[in-house]
Amino acid sequence: MAWRGILGFDYGIVQGPLGPDISGPDLVAAVANAGALGLLRAPDWESPDYLRELIRKTRTLTDKPFGVGLVLAFPHEENLKVILEEKVAVLQVYWGECSRELVTEVHSAGVKIVPQVGSVEAAKKAIEAGVDGIIVQGREAGGHVIGQESLIALVPRVVDLVGDIDIPVIAAGGIVDARGYVAALALGAQGICLGTRFVATKESNAHPTYKRKLLELDETEYTDVFGRARWPGAPHRVLVTPFFNDWRSLPPHENETNQPVIGHSKINGLEKEIRRFAGTVPNKSTTGDLESMAMYAGQGAGLIKEILPAAQVVRSLVEGAQLLIQNIK
């Protein structure tokens, strides 16, 4: 049963583009096959050949449409060119201006564009640019957080701003289960975007230690401790691990550039050193002091009790929300 579909997908569920390469082809294809919108994450540097390979590998695992997330704060012109040449269904953009020129370029390639915003002003600019949908991120979200308002305050204002225009509003931030889905619908959203819940799936490329910590730990904190040099001015929400608890008051002048190497990882095809306080989450290939690395998570992390197949996550969200709404009636 198609229910609350958005952007041409069966269901109003979006799997956020999890970086640096946590949402790889296996996860995105599993989400797509379940009828939801799965998003790859483009590398944070120009890597058009590798990105094309990711897209094409995903297509070997699903015949359903899917998308790619692109962080505009990093070099991206060559990556964007590949995304449009490959004609993925949706381009999700974040942390940068979603201009009318960009929207026109994307639409000319037959691709839909959906920015993630953290304020009413950014939503207004996106509407004026002619976007196909808007992901509204609340401060409750895990990973890098662009806004300061809570989801419960921000979503209704953006919904009112959109009015009768055919632009679905998608709520993101702290949502992990059917109760959060229904709450977002009550705020006026037409869909939801989940990140942390999809990190904790069998198909995600997150390291098993990262997944285990999502089950063990309940507390998260909004901070700027990780990745200050690489991505300045980009606060984030992380799990309160013992390491973070010890370093949560890191002096403002400190960053990862002069810190020791604590591990190594293969990220988007490249071998990388991971320094202490780098903003790199551990993926399956990561070695070293895993528990001292960043572990992004939204405030709903405490509700995640098991690692599930991505399709089961989608199914439980849809069926659970249907049941809740029927009981409310």
Side-chain angles (χ1 to χ4, degrees):
M1 175 181 178
W3 187 71
R4 292 283 176 179
I6 51 172
L7 300 168
F9 294 82
D10 291 342
Y11 303 124
I13 297 167
V14 179
Q15 163 254 306
L18 306 167
D21 62 355
I22 303 301
S23 57
D26 289 340
L27 176 58
V28 171
V31 170
N33 286 331
L37 170 54
L39 296 172
L40 295 167
R41 166 75 178 271
D44 292 340
W45 54 86
E46 297 285 24
S47 187
D49 292 340
Y50 185 81
L51 179 55
R52 195 184 302 275
E53 180 183 332
L54 281 181
I55 293 169
R56 292 185 176 180
K57 182 177 180 182
T58 306
R59 285 189 171 133
T60 68
L61 301 174
T62 182
D63 59 359
K64 300 289 185 66
F66 58 90
V68 178
L70 191 68
V71 178
L72 299 177
F74 297 116
H76 61 268
E77 292 299 331
E78 294 301 313
N79 291 340
L80 174 62
K81 184 179 178 181
V82 166
I83 292 166
L84 301 186
E85 287 174 351
E86 291 293 323
K87 296 188 182 298
V88 300
V90 176
L91 169 66
Q92 185 259 19
V93 294
Y94 186 39
W95 217 278
E97 183 184 359
C98 182
S99 65
R100 185 179 295 275
E101 292 75 20
L102 175 59
V103 172
T104 299
E105 180 183 4
V106 173
H107 283 168
S108 296
V111 176
K112 295 177 181 178
I113 182 167
V114 178
Q116 180 163 287
V117 305
S119 68
V120 172
E121 184 58 33
K124 183 178 179 181
K125 290 179 180 178
I127 294 167
E128 291 171 349
V131 300
D132 299 285
I134 300 173
I135 298 174
V136 178
Q137 184 195 50
R139 188 180 161 111
E140 303 92 332
H144 293 87
V145 183
I146 201 167
Q148 293 295 314
E149 293 188 65
S150 69
L151 204 61
I152 198 169
L154 186 56
V155 168
R157 295 179 66 197
V158 175
V159 169
D160 290 348
L161 193 65
V162 169
D164 296 330
I165 305 171
D166 186 21
I167 298 176
V169 174
I170 302 158
I175 302 170
V176 299
D177 61 14
R179 292 170 294 181
Y181 194 172
V182 173
L185 296 177
L187 295 174
Q190 291 174 261
I192 53 172
C193 180
L194 301 91
T196 309
R197 175 63 270 192
F198 282 112
V199 174
T201 57
K202 292 185 176 179
E203 297 89 349
S204 100
N205 199 38
H207 193 281
T209 297
Y210 184 8
K211 295 182 185 183
R212 176 169 53 82
K213 288 297 181 182
L214 286 172
L215 304 185
E216 292 177 354
L217 302 175
D218 295 337
E219 186 182 354
T220 67
E221 186 162 319
Y222 179 85
T223 182
D224 74 340
V225 163
F226 296 100
R228 288 174 177 173
R230 175 178 169 272
W231 196 351
H236 35 271
R237 183 174 296 281
V238 299
L239 283 173
V240 178
T241 61
F243 172 83
F244 175 76
N245 205 39
D246 288 342
W247 293 95
R248 67 202 313 162
S249 299
L250 186 71
H253 65 277
E254 293 283 357
N255 62 51
E256 68 270 29
T257 55
N258 62 352
Q259 296 296 317
V261 173
I262 61 170
H264 294 82
S265 190
K266 189 171 185 178
I267 301 171
N268 295 133
L270 298 180
E271 298 290 341
K272 297 279 189 178
E273 289 184 340
I274 300 177
R275 294 185 178 274
R276 188 169 60 186
F277 307 128
T280 306
V281 297
N283 66 24
K284 288 179 181 177
S285 74
T286 306
T287 58
D289 185 5
L290 299 168
E291 300 202 12
S292 296
M293 297 178 188
M295 295 188 185
Y296 301 133
Q299 285 186 333
L303 297 170
I304 299 173
K305 302 302 180 184
E306 57 184 330
I307 307 300
L308 297 172
Q312 188 173 337
V313 170
V314 173
R315 185 166 60 251
S316 65
L317 286 164
V318 173
E319 294 176 355
Q322 287 174 319
L323 184 60
L324 283 169
I325 289 173
Q326 289 169 3
N327 290 339
I328 290 171
K329 291 179 179 178

